[in-house]
Amino acid sequence: MAIVKDEGEWRLEISILLTYDNLPKMLRSSQRQSYAANGMLWLGDERPILIEPQNIIGNTTVWFENSPHRPLSYEYYVKEIVYLWNARWRVRHVSYRHRHPSEYIHLPQLPGDIPIKKIFLDLYHDDFGTFRSVYHSLGGVYLQFGNMPQSMRKQLKNHFPIGFVPFGGSFNDFIRPFIEELQKLEKGVKMTSLGQEVWVVASLGSITADLPQGNVHAGVKHHSGIRGCRFCKAPRESLTNPSFDVLQNARYHHVTDIEIAKINQETGIARSRLATEYGLRLHQSPFDAILHDRHINTPHDPYHAIGGKILKLLDVTMNLLSASGEDVWNMHWKAIEKPIHWWRLPNPLTHRQSFLFSDGLRLTMLIPFILHRFLLPCHIKNASFELLKENLGVREDQVVPELIGCWVIVAKTTKLSFSASFTEQKYNELAVCLSQEKDILVKVFTIFFLFI
């Protein structure tokens, strides 16, 4: 539950609680009916709903069984979460949920006679080459104030560099002074603002970083590990399995705390084996010292994720072309209409290894048109064509349209992902596109892994 401001009005945001009669029929049983008679409700894993203040009647006490403190008295309790996965209703224990910050963050009480100003900071960490693609890279770390409106956050002047981590330097040593200052701000620091004394309380909103830095900050092993996802415990062989239940096997901050404690109790080989089993690093992240959820507050960077996906698809597509296909590609690449300021964009057939993510995003707009103009089955290598036909499960005359359609889906998904604003309809469209993209890319990327 939270109090939020929506369209200029204050509203109460609450999660949906279901009674036994509201459960999907396939989940109803005599056992759950008896639980309901004793006051059990079910938490719906859906978007919270907003309640107008005039519609609030009163309050009630509901105990979540995984809460750290059990209330002395309560009217209802929640033991299971109802959710929809692959068009089927399922349940998981309530311990497999992300806790509200108020459940694990307890801030000190500050004097009420002085105004309190609360800010949250977004930290960005990225390794980049000083000369386009270069092995010796720098680690750039900078801040943004999350309280700023989006129009101000987009301005370059509102990005505040902390510094650079030199090649070979330790990020932990670099970030330690920042962590120490942030810990002081979490407890509140008295400052003077516009001639008035105020308490300033600050916290870390999110840590945005590309792989592998993001996994390191979340305390998870590198993405090449057996369980190398910072959001779920999917083993490496299940990363492309659409039926794998990510919600049931997600990583949760409080569960990870328990796993870290178990790892620290072991020594030697046993400690390493347990860390491998959980997919966690042996050494904790420096950010564990501050108040945050290591999994929620370390999201995947969509720019790097989408850019990397496009560059890999580009590599797959270029490797599919036969000698005659490469010749026809070069002819159409020179003839395709491009914006004037794109004249420096090199030919992806010969220079894709030096492409930046921004180059890949531009190519996403061009490649569907280029392929549509010339691509025929004879322009694809025989072995790759047969494998692509088998993976896609289509006839020979459908392979080329499916490959072009793959690029169309990726282009549409990319456009929706970087929309300036989102509505309910756009979210639904994006969900559909992501589902279609996932299905087609798993089939197409198989060729890449077989021929590298």
Side-chain angles (χ1 to χ4, degrees), residues 137-158:
S137 58
L138 291 175
V141 184
Y142 59 94
L143 281 175
Q144 275 195 315
F145 289 95
N147 304 69
M148 289 182 175
Q150 185 182 16
S151 59
M152 294 182 66
R153 291 202 305 269
K154 292 192 297 183
Q155 298 178 19
L156 187 60
K157 66 179 181 180
N158 291 324

Side-chain angles (χ1 to χ4, degrees), residues 157-175:
K157 66 179 181 180
N158 291 324
H159 294 69
F160 304 98
I162 296 179
F164 298 100
V165 185
F167 176 78
S170 171
F171 177 83
N172 290 3
D173 294 338
F174 170 84
I175 205 65

Side-chain angles (χ1 to χ4, degrees), residues 15-18 42-48 78 80-83:
S15 298
I16 297 176
L17 293 176
L18 305 174
W42 286 262
L43 179 64
D45 196 7
E46 304 172 17
R47 288 187 181 178
V78 174
E80 294 177 329
I81 302 174
V82 178
Y83 65 103

Side-chain angles (χ1 to χ4, degrees), residues 105 132 149 165 186 188 202 207 301 321 325 337 348 378 399 423 436:
I105 295 179
R132 197 171 177 90
V165 185
E186 286 178 340
I207 307 166
D301 181 8
L321 298 178
E337 304 84 358
C378 62
V399 172
T423 60
Q436 294 174 346

Side-chain angles (χ1 to χ4, degrees), residues 220-447:
V220 179
K221 287 187 177 293
H222 284 184
H223 58 283
S224 57
I226 297 176
R227 289 183 173 86
C229 176
R230 73 186 81 157
F231 289 139
C232 73
K233 295 182 179 179
R236 193 163 44 207
E237 62 272 12
S238 297
L239 290 176
T240 57
N241 181 8
S243 62
F244 183 82
D245 193 338
V246 174
L247 296 177
Q248 181 70 41
N249 298 277
R251 293 188 185 272
Y252 300 95
H253 182 78
H254 57 282
V255 176
T256 302
D257 282 340
I258 297 173
E259 294 172 346
I260 290 175
K262 291 180 180 179
I263 292 172
N264 291 335
Q265 290 174 357
E266 302 291 342
T267 58
I269 297 177
R271 187 167 182 262
S272 299
R273 286 178 178 173
L274 195 58
T276 301
E277 179 184 344
Y278 292 142
L280 299 175
R281 299 174 63 84
L282 289 174
H283 303 288
Q284 290 181 299
S285 165
F287 294 104
D288 284 354
I290 60 176
L291 303 173
H292 79 304
D293 186 313
R294 62 173 62 87
H295 302 303
I296 291 182
N297 296 116
T298 314
H300 284 294
D301 181 8
Y303 178 74
H304 286 84
I306 294 173
K309 170 191 63 183
I310 291 172
L311 293 183
K312 182 162 288 188
L313 179 60
L314 174 64
D315 205 32
V316 171
T317 305
M318 295 297 102
N319 286 326
L320 288 175
L321 298 178
S322 61
S324 61
E326 292 179 355
D327 293 337
V328 181
W329 167 274
N330 288 329
M331 181 180 65
H332 282 272
W333 172 258
K334 295 176 182 177
I336 189 72
E337 304 84 358
K338 308 181 188 71
I340 297 175
H341 59 284
W342 287 13
W343 66 274
R344 293 182 181 273
L345 188 64
N347 189 335
L349 187 62
T350 55
H351 293 81
R352 63 183 180 275
Q353 300 303 328
S354 62
F355 273 10
L356 300 176
F357 289 147
S358 57
D359 299 326
L361 296 178
R362 290 176 175 178
L363 285 171
T364 310
M365 308 179 213
L366 294 177
I367 289 184
F369 294 100
I370 298 177
L371 295 180
H372 185 265
R373 291 183 181 184
F374 84 91
L375 191 62
L376 297 173
C378 62
H379 297 140
I380 301 176
K381 297 173 184 176
N382 291 334
S384 300
F385 184 85
E386 292 299 324
L387 185 58
L388 194 59
K389 182 180 72 172
E390 180 181 349
N391 290 343
L392 294 173
V394 296
R395 302 191 307 269
E396 289 188 359
D397 59 334
Q398 295 176 320
V399 172
V400 170
E402 285 287 329
L403 183 59
I404 298 173
C406 176
W407 274 101
V408 171
I409 293 173
V410 170
K412 186 176 180 180
T413 305
T414 303
K415 177 181 179 296
L416 286 171
S417 300
F418 292 109
S419 298
S421 59
F422 280 91
T423 60
E424 187 74 23
Q425 181 181 356
K426 277 193 175 181
Y427 274 119
N428 294 334
E429 290 178 8
L430 180 59
V432 172
C433 286
L434 286 172
S435 178
Q436 294 174 346
E437 183 188 66
K438 176 192 67 177
D439 294 337
I440 189 70
L441 286 181
V442 168
K443 299 174 182 177
V444 173
F445 278 173
T446 304
I447 299 177

